[in-house]
C-alpha cells in the first residue's frame, strides 16, 4: 500500500489512478520451461504447487506465444516490445544486443522506477537501463555459477543456480525497501533453469525416479509432408548425447561422445563433497546402463528405425524417461524457489500491489514429435507459459484466451507504470485484458478489438539442431509457415482445430485453396504491418 496516496479513487480517471498507485513489478522468466511441465497448464507430468499459486490468485493466459523461439531473441523482444527484425537481435550465434536502443527498462527508469536484473541475460553486450544488475555469463552454470557484476568483476557463488538467483533477488528487494521505500521497483529475475542439460539441485537428485512417463502421442512422428521437421537435429533418440544429456558417465566405461568434454566441464564445477553426492546417484545408474546397453552399436537410435519391442525402442524409451526425470527435478527446484520468493513478498506485505509475472523465454518439446529443444513455429515451442498475479486495480481472474505475445510485456509494464507507450513499440498492452470489471470505455474497446493473429520469425540457421529459417502467422484456428533459405523453400498450413498436433500439412491441397490464399493475404498484411523486410 506504500505507493497509494490519499485520494478518492472512484473520482480519479484510470490513467491518473495507475500513475498514483504505481505497482511494483516482479518479472520471473525461466529458460525453456514449457507449459507441459507446469501443473496449472498440464497435470500429466509434474506438480508445481507454488507456481500454480500465481495463476490461482491471478490469471493464466491460454494462448501465449513468443515472437522468435530462442533465448537471446526472445529476451530482446521482451525488452524492446519489438519483433527481432526491429530490435536487431535475430539469433544467438551472431547477435550482439544494441543496448543504446530504446528499451522498456530505460522507459521505466525515466518514469521513476528502480530497475534491476538478476540471472540469465544472454544478450552479449552489457545490460543498459538497469540500476542494478548481476548476470550469468552466456548460458551460465547450474553448479557454483559465476556471476558478472556491474563493475565488470566476476565471482563464483557456491551452490545451485536457482537458489542463488532467488537469494539474490530476495536480498535485493529487501535492500531496495530499506533504501528507497517510496520508489516503485521493476525487478527482472531470469532463471537459468530449466535449460539443457537439466542438472538437478543435489537435494532433488533422487526425485521422480519412481515415475514412468507416458510418451506423447506424436513421440514416433515420421514427419510425413514436413521436410523441415525431418531435417532437424533434436530427436531424443538420434540427437541426445548419452553422456552430456542423460549423464551416463563412469570414467572407465563411458564412450567419449562429442559432448563429453562439455559434460566434464559442467560437473567439474562441483566441490569434492558436492561431486560425491552427484556421483552417488549418477554413477551406479551409469554402471547399470552400460552393463545393460554397453553392447549397442549406437546410443543414438533414430525414432524412424525403432521397431516396437526392439532394443532400439527400449533404449529410446530409456532416454526419454531420463530426460523427463531430470527436467522434472530441475522444475521442482524452480517451483520451490519461486514459492520462497512468493512467501517473502507475502510477508513483506508486497503481494497486494505487485504485478508478479511468471513466464519462460519459450516453450520446449517434451518428446512431442520425438523432440527436445524448441525453435519451431509448432505449438509446443511457439507457446510459452504466462501466468500473473495482479496488483490493485486489476480485477480480472482466471483464464485469458486472447492471443498474446512476448512483445506485449513492454507496453503492459509501461502502461501499468503510468508511462507513455512509444508509438514504435509493436506489442499491445495487456492492461485491457487484465482490468476485468474495472475496464473503462477505452480499455473495453481495445479488448473487443484485440488482435486476431500473431507473427513469428526464426532466423538461426545453419546452427545447432538444424532448424531452418522460417516465418509464420497463427490465427485463432490456422497456421501458415514458410521455411526458407538456401536449401529449402517449403510452406505448411495447419488447421489447429482438426489437427492440433500439426501432423497434416494442408498446403497445396486443392480443397484448402481458398483458406491458403486467405492465410497468405493475412501473413503479408502482418509482415507489412510489422515492417518485416523478409517477405
Ligand atoms: C545451447 C544448447 C542447445 C540450445 C541452445 C539455445 N546446447 O547451445 O541445445 O538449443 O543453447 O538455447 S548445449 O550443448 O550448450 O547444451 S537458448 O535457450 O539459450 O536459446
Ligand atoms: Ca531458452
Amino acid at each position: 500500500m506504500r505507493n497509494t496516496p490519499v485520494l478518492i479513487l472512484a473520482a480519479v480517471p484510470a490513467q491518473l489512478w495507475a500513475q498514483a498507485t504505481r505497482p511494483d513489478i516482479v518479472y520471473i522468466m525461466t529458460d525453456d520451461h514449457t507449459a507441459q511441465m507446469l501443473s496449472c497448464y498440464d497435470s500429466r507430468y509434474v506438480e508445481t504447487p507454488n507456481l500454480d499459486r500465481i495463476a490461482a490468485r491471478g490469471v493464466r493466459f491460454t494462448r501465449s506465444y513468443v515472437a522468435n523461439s530462442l533465448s537471446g531473441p526472445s529476451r530482446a523482444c521482451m525488452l524492446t516490445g519489438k519483433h527481432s527484425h526491429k530490435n536487431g537481435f535475430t539469433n544467438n550465434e551472431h547477435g550482439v544486443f544494441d543496448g543504446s536502443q530504446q528499451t522498456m527498462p530505460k522507459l521505466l527508469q525515466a518514469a521513476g522506477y528502480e530497475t534491476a536484473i538478476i540471472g540469465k541475460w544472454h544478450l552479449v553486450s552489457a545490460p543498459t537501463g538497469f540500476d542494478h544488475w548481476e548476470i550469468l555469463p552466456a548460458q551460465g552454470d547450474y553448479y557454483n555459477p559465476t556471476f558478472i557484476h556491474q563493475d565488470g568483476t566476476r565471482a563464483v557463488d557456491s551452490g545451485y543456480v536457482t537458489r542463488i538467483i532467488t537469494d539474490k533477488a530476495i536480498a535485493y528487494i529487501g535492500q531496495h525497501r530499506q533504501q528507497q521505500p517510496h520508489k516503485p521497483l521493476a525487478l527482472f529475475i531470469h532463471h537459468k533453469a530449466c535449460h539443457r542439460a537439466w542438472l538437478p539441485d543435489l537435494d532433488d537428485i533422487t526425485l521422480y525416479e519412481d515415475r514412468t512417463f507416458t510418451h506423447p502421442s506424436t513421440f514416433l512422428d515420421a514427419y510425413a509432408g514436413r521436410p523441415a521437421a525431418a531435417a532437424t537435429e533434436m530427436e531424443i533418440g538420434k540427437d541426445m548425447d548419452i553422456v552430456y544429456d542423460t549423464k551416463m558417465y563412469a570414467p572407465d566405461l563411458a564412450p567419449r561422445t562429442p559432448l563429453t568434454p562439455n559434460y566434464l566441464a559442467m560437473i567439474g564445477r562441483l566441490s569434492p563433497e558436492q561431486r560425491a553426492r552427484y556421483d552417488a546417484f549418477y554413477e551406479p545408474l551409469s554402471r547399470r546402463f552400460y552393463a545393460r546397453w554397453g553392447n549397442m552399436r549406437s546410443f543414438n537410435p533414430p525414432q524412424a528405425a525403432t521397431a516396437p519391442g526392439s532394443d532400439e525402442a527400449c533404449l529410446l524409451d530409456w532416454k526419454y524417461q531420463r530426460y523427463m526425470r531430470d527436467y522434472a527435478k530441475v522444475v521442482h527446484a524452480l517451483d520451490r524457489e519461486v514459492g520462497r520468493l512468493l512467501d517473502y513478498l507475502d510477508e513483506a506485505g508486497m503481494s497486494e500491489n505487485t504485478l508478479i509475472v511468471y513466464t519462460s523465454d519459450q516453450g520446449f518439446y517434451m518428446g512431442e514429435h520425438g523432440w527436445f529443444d524448441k525453435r519451431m513455429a509448432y505449438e509446443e515451442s511457439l507457446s510459452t507459459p504466462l501466468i500473473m498475479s495482479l496488483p490493485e486495480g486489476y480485477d480480472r481472474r482466471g483464464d485469458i484466451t486472447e492471443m498474446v505475445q512476448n512483445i506485449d510485456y513492454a507496453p503492459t509494464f509501461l502502461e501499468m507504470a503510468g508511462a507513455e507507450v512509444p508509438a514504435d513499440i509493436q506489442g499491445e498492452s495487456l492492461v485491457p485484458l487484465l482490468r476485468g470489471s474495472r475496464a473503462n470505455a477505452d480499455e473495453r474497446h481495445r479488448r473487443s478489438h484485440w488482435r486476431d493473429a500473431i507473427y513469428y520469425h526464426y532466423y538461426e540457421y545453419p546452427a545447432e539442431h538444424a532448424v531452418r529459417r522460417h516465418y509464420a502467422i497463427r490465427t485463432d484456428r490456422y497456421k501458415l509457415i514458410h521455411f526458407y533459405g538456401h536449401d529449402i523453400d517449403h510452406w505448411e498450413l495447419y488447421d489447429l482445430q482438426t489437427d492440433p498436433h500439426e501432423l497434416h500439412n494442408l498446403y497445396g491441397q486443392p480443397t484448402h485453396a481458398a483458406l491458403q490464399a486467405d492465410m497468405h493475404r493475412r501473413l503479408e498484411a502482418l509482415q507489412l504491418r510489422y515492417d518485416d523486410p523478409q517477405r
Side-chain angles (χ1 to χ4, degrees):
M1 296 295 281
R2 68 174 158 71
N3 293 317
T4 310
V6 186
L7 285 176
I8 305 161
L9 293 178
V12 180
Q15 177 79 6
L16 273 182
W17 184 84
Q19 274 181 0
T21 55
R22 316 274 279 174
D24 290 315
I25 298 167
V26 173
Y27 175 88
I28 308 163
M29 179 162 67
T30 47
D31 200 355
D32 297 356
H33 190 188
T34 193
Q36 302 95 293
M37 301 298 273
L38 188 50
S39 51
C40 64
Y41 279 100
D42 188 335
S43 55
R44 286 176 299 170
Y45 302 128
V46 292
E47 300 79 42
T48 52
N50 292 299
L51 295 171
D52 296 358
R53 271 159 68 189
I54 299 175
R57 64 193 197 196
V59 293
R60 178 183 79 146
F61 288 84
T62 59
R63 290 174 180 190
S64 153
Y65 307 102
V66 293
N68 184 346
S69 183
L70 196 63
S71 166
S74 173
R75 287 155 209 271
C77 291
M78 182 277 282
L79 287 171
T80 60
K82 295 177 184 173
H83 279 282
S84 305
H85 61 276
K86 287 289 180 192
N87 67 49
F89 197 100
T90 57
N91 69 86
N92 284 342
E93 295 225 330
H94 308 292
V96 178
F97 185 69
D98 171 11
S100 70
Q101 68 185 296
Q102 167 185 287
T103 65
M104 167 263 293
K106 286 184 190 174
L107 295 166
L108 285 176
Q109 265 183 332
Y113 270 67
E114 175 84 2
T115 60
I117 178 166
I118 296 168
K120 184 174 174 182
W121 170 248
H122 210 200
L123 289 169
V124 188
S125 56
T128 56
F130 295 97
D131 297 299
H132 172 84
W133 56 264
E134 253 178 298
I135 57 169
L136 299 167
Q139 295 283 7
D141 278 290
Y142 277 106
Y143 298 137
N144 304 328
T146 300
F147 281 83
I148 310 175
H149 298 265
Q150 227 159 327
D151 61 5
T153 58
R154 291 176 180 232
V156 172
D157 280 77
S158 306
Y160 188 65
V161 69
T162 309
R163 283 186 201 232
I164 295 168
I165 289 173
T166 307
D167 283 343
K168 286 183 187 294
I170 290 175
Y172 180 76
I173 298 169
Q175 183 193 317
H176 169 81
R177 282 164 53 77
Q178 262 195 343
Q179 293 175 357
Q180 294 176 297
H182 300 296
K183 204 173 179 192
L185 172 68
L187 172 60
F188 295 78
I189 304 169
H190 290 196
H191 283 286
K192 170 180 175 57
C194 24
H195 193 271
R196 191 180 181 192
W198 319 289
L199 291 166
D201 188 331
L202 297 174
D203 286 350
D204 303 325
I205 207 161
T206 58
L207 295 180
Y208 284 101
E209 284 300 316
D210 57 354
R211 203 73 72 89
T212 302
F213 295 92
T214 307
H215 297 175
S217 61
T218 58
F219 189 59
L220 293 177
D221 191 358
Y223 315 119
R226 287 156 293 146
T232 63
E233 294 168 2
M234 46 196 220
E235 281 184 28
I236 291 171
K238 174 169 72 66
D239 303 305
M240 251 187 195
D241 188 283
I242 204 70
V243 173
Y244 179 77
D245 291 306
T246 54
K247 308 164 189 72
M248 291 303 99
Y249 180 75
D252 51 325
L253 286 176
R256 200 151 177 96
T257 64
L259 294 180
T260 297
N262 302 16
Y263 180 67
L264 295 180
M266 286 187 316
I267 64 169
R269 301 184 67 88
L270 292 163
S271 70
E273 297 74 34
Q274 293 168 333
R275 180 65 185 267
R277 290 179 68 194
Y278 184 91
D279 286 345
F281 178 76
Y282 282 112
E283 204 174 308
L285 207 63
S286 303
R287 293 199 174 279
R288 282 202 300 279
F289 174 80
Y290 288 110
R292 164 71 179 85
W293 299 102
N295 60 352
M296 293 287 283
R297 264 184 299 127
S298 158
F299 299 117
N300 298 83
Q303 66 209 29
T306 59
S310 64
D311 269 0
E312 283 76 16
C314 293
L315 178 57
L316 177 59
D317 174 60
W318 184 93
K319 287 178 91 171
Y320 170 72
Q321 300 301 339
R322 287 264 34 99
Y323 169 45
M324 294 296 283
R325 287 172 187 165
D326 286 348
Y327 190 111
K329 294 172 205 210
V330 174
V331 168
H332 185 85
L334 260 179
D335 183 68
R336 177 183 56 235
E337 294 304 310
V338 172
R340 198 155 66 85
L341 176 75
L342 295 178
D343 289 344
Y344 175 83
L345 294 173
D346 284 345
E347 280 156 28
M350 286 175 70
S351 298
E352 249 86 284
N353 200 28
T354 298
L355 168 69
I356 303 172
V357 178
Y358 184 87
T359 187
S360 171
D361 63 343
Q362 11 68 207
F364 213 69
Y365 294 94
M366 304 308 302
E368 298 85 4
H369 305 287
W371 288 335
F372 65 105
D373 215 65
K374 53 262 177 172
R375 300 163 190 262
M376 293 292 254
Y378 300 146
E379 289 295 279
E380 291 83 354
S381 50
L382 175 66
S383 304
T384 197
L386 181 63
I387 51 181
M388 294 181 184
S389 161
L390 303 176
E392 289 162 1
Y394 298 84
D395 61 349
R396 183 73 184 265
R397 295 292 179 269
D399 282 357
I400 296 182
T401 57
E402 281 87 350
M403 288 190 285
V404 304
Q405 213 167 9
N406 57 346
I407 53 170
D408 299 338
Y409 306 165
T412 306
F413 301 166
L414 291 171
E415 188 174 1
M416 277 194 174
E420 186 115 350
V421 179
D424 63 351
I425 283 192
Q426 298 182 314
E428 304 289 334
S429 165
L430 303 175
V431 159
L433 308 183
L434 302 175
R435 277 282 192 218
S437 67
R438 299 273 199 126
N440 61 26
D442 166 60
E443 290 161 350
R444 283 199 302 275
H445 178 83
R446 283 151 68 195
R447 191 159 71 200
S448 60
H449 290 76
W450 196 252
R451 67 158 73 85
D452 57 9
I454 57 129
Y455 183 61
Y456 180 83
H457 199 152
Y458 169 84
Y459 299 81
E460 193 176 273
Y461 182 80
E464 195 177 6
H465 301 300
V467 173
R468 289 346 186 236
R469 293 178 184 214
H470 57 291
Y471 49 79
I473 177 176
R474 188 206 194 280
T475 66
D476 181 48
R477 177 163 174 186
Y478 301 104
K479 189 184 288 178
L480 178 66
I481 313 175
H482 184 210
F483 294 93
Y484 71 89
H486 62 277
D487 57 358
I488 198 161
D489 178 9
H490 170 73
W491 290 88
E492 296 184 4
L493 175 65
Y494 295 102
D495 180 342
L496 299 166
Q497 196 171 300
T498 59
D499 179 25
H501 302 304
E502 299 159 291
L503 299 172
H504 307 291
N505 178 13
L506 304 175
Y507 198 86
Q509 294 191 1
T511 42
H512 294 94
L515 169 68
Q516 184 174 308
D518 184 51
M519 287 298 283
H520 268 291
R521 267 193 302 275
R522 292 178 74 170
L523 173 64
E524 275 157 35
L526 216 48
Q527 288 184 316
L528 268 177
R529 172 171 172 203
Y530 290 131
D531 193 25
D532 187 348
Q534 177 73 52
R535 48 177 190 266

